[in-house]
Amino acid sequence: MAKKLTNQENTDMSIKINLSVLDRIHFPALMPLRGSMAENALAEALSKRVIFTPAEIMEYKIALLPDGRTIWNQGKAKLREFRFEKFEMILIQAGVRMHDEGRSIPRDANSLAEKLLSINVNDKA
């Protein structure tokens, strides 16, 4: 019987993670605030990777309210799988740690921060 792959396992050694709408909204804010030019470019590319497509915005009815809050139809929202390489996850985790040390993680992003930090990148090639 084949082993069922978990949220973080994959045979190609990339790291798979399922992100909710709320996770994807907060993901860019957890990237490192500073770094080398290469790290900044990578953080920007990672942030763009989780951006909602126009079709998702319509399907989930995502809207930005005047007070800055984002709303969506939670009944239609789905988890979406993303894959990250080890070096990408190392940068993502560095950003989460930076924000944690600076006490700047929004309360509703705490579960995302915990999820990202729980991934053991040392198990990946």
Side-chain angles (χ1 to χ4, degrees):
M1 178 185 271
K3 178 184 173 191
K4 182 178 177 183
L5 297 178
T6 67
N7 192 37
Q8 300 165 14
E9 293 177 326
N10 190 10
T11 55
D12 70 4
M13 300 308 284
S14 63
I15 299 165
K16 291 185 346 182
I17 187 165
N18 291 315
L19 298 177
S20 69
V21 170
L22 183 61
D23 292 339
R24 291 170 66 191
I25 289 169
H26 284 299
F27 187 90
L30 295 179
M31 292 295 98
L33 296 173
R34 0 184 102 71
S36 68
M37 289 173 54
E39 290 167 336
N40 289 339
L42 179 58
E44 184 69 22
L46 292 170
S47 293
K48 287 180 180 176
R49 191 181 305 173
V50 301
I51 287 177
F52 297 95
T53 65
E56 288 175 317
I57 292 169
M58 297 293 289
E59 180 182 354
Y60 305 155
K61 299 186 183 333
I62 298 171
L64 184 62
L65 298 177
D67 66 3
R69 291 181 299 133
T70 303
I71 59 170
W72 64 94
N73 183 329
Q74 294 184 9
K76 292 188 175 229
K78 302 173 192 145
L79 291 175
R80 183 163 163 209
E81 180 182 279
F82 291 89
R83 293 172 186 243
F84 300 101
E85 298 301 322
K86 178 180 177 177
F87 72 94
E88 294 173 326
M89 189 53 65
I90 289 169
L91 181 77
I92 292 166
Q93 290 178 339
V96 173
R97 286 186 188 97
M98 180 185 303
H99 287 285
D100 186 40
E101 290 168 8
R103 302 172 60 99
S104 62
I105 296 176
R107 192 171 341 157
D108 57 354
N110 211 54
S111 63
L112 172 60
E114 289 174 350
K115 181 189 309 188
L116 294 170
L117 289 178
S118 73
I119 297 169
N120 185 351
V121 294
N122 295 321
D123 289 346
K124 305 298 171 190

